[in-house]
Amino acid sequence: MDPADVANAVSVLSRNMGFGLMGQSFAVLSPVPLATADPDKTKTPRLMVVDCDVNFVESQRRVFRPFDVDFLAAFNGKQACWRIVTEKPDLIISDTHTLYGDGQNLVQWLQDNTVLRSIPVIVASIDSDGHDIRCQRMQPAADEFVAKPIACDQMRQVVSRYIPLTLKKPL
């Protein structure tokens, strides 16, 4: 990713996700140093799951473990934005309720960013029946909605519409 794109995304992130409000400082830890985060270094699709429910994130990790997919996890909106900017996933699954910025803010932030708006977003939420006001506001920006709990096979089917799911080759 071009350094100017990263600077633009971080600037928008700062304004829209509440970074640095009221003089607060924060630290964002990334498992991949910024200098080495290159989304084009591999053809393996990157799937990011954003949810403050660790059990949901880990269940999705197990669902996609047999497939040749780089699994990225974020447990709040700020962490998700940082990882999206630095690691550019090919698909994002997000809940509508996350810490430090809800899923609606995350989806809107992606749509407002010319570099990142092409990343498809699946909203996975208890509220995904379309009646919840958060889901109604997100409908123009999110690519798909699924209701939790969701069966493993159904989630794989939905994800396979956006990224290829090929089984890992035995070692």
Side-chain angles (χ1 to χ4, degrees), residues 55-107:
N55 293 323
F56 179 76
V57 173
E58 289 307 312
S59 72
Q60 296 310 297
R61 185 185 310 272
R62 285 190 300 275
V63 166
F64 294 102
R65 183 173 290 142
F67 299 95
D68 192 18
V69 174
D70 287 339
F71 188 90
L72 309 170
F75 299 97
N76 62 57
K78 289 181 182 181
Q79 185 182 38
C81 291
W82 178 257
R83 293 198 78 179
I84 291 166
V85 169
T86 59
E87 300 178 54
K88 198 163 182 204
D90 298 299
L91 175 64
I92 299 168
I93 300 172
S94 178
D95 193 355
T96 53
H97 307 282
T98 62
L99 301 172
Y100 307 117
D102 63 24
Q104 178 184 341
N105 290 343
L106 178 66
V107 171

Side-chain angles (χ1 to χ4, degrees), residues 42-46 64-70 163-169:
T42 179
K43 293 188 189 260
T44 302
R46 292 181 176 183
F64 294 102
R65 183 173 290 142
F67 299 95
D68 192 18
V69 174
D70 287 339
I163 60 173
L165 292 179
T166 56
L167 290 172
K168 289 180 182 173
K169 293 181 170 108

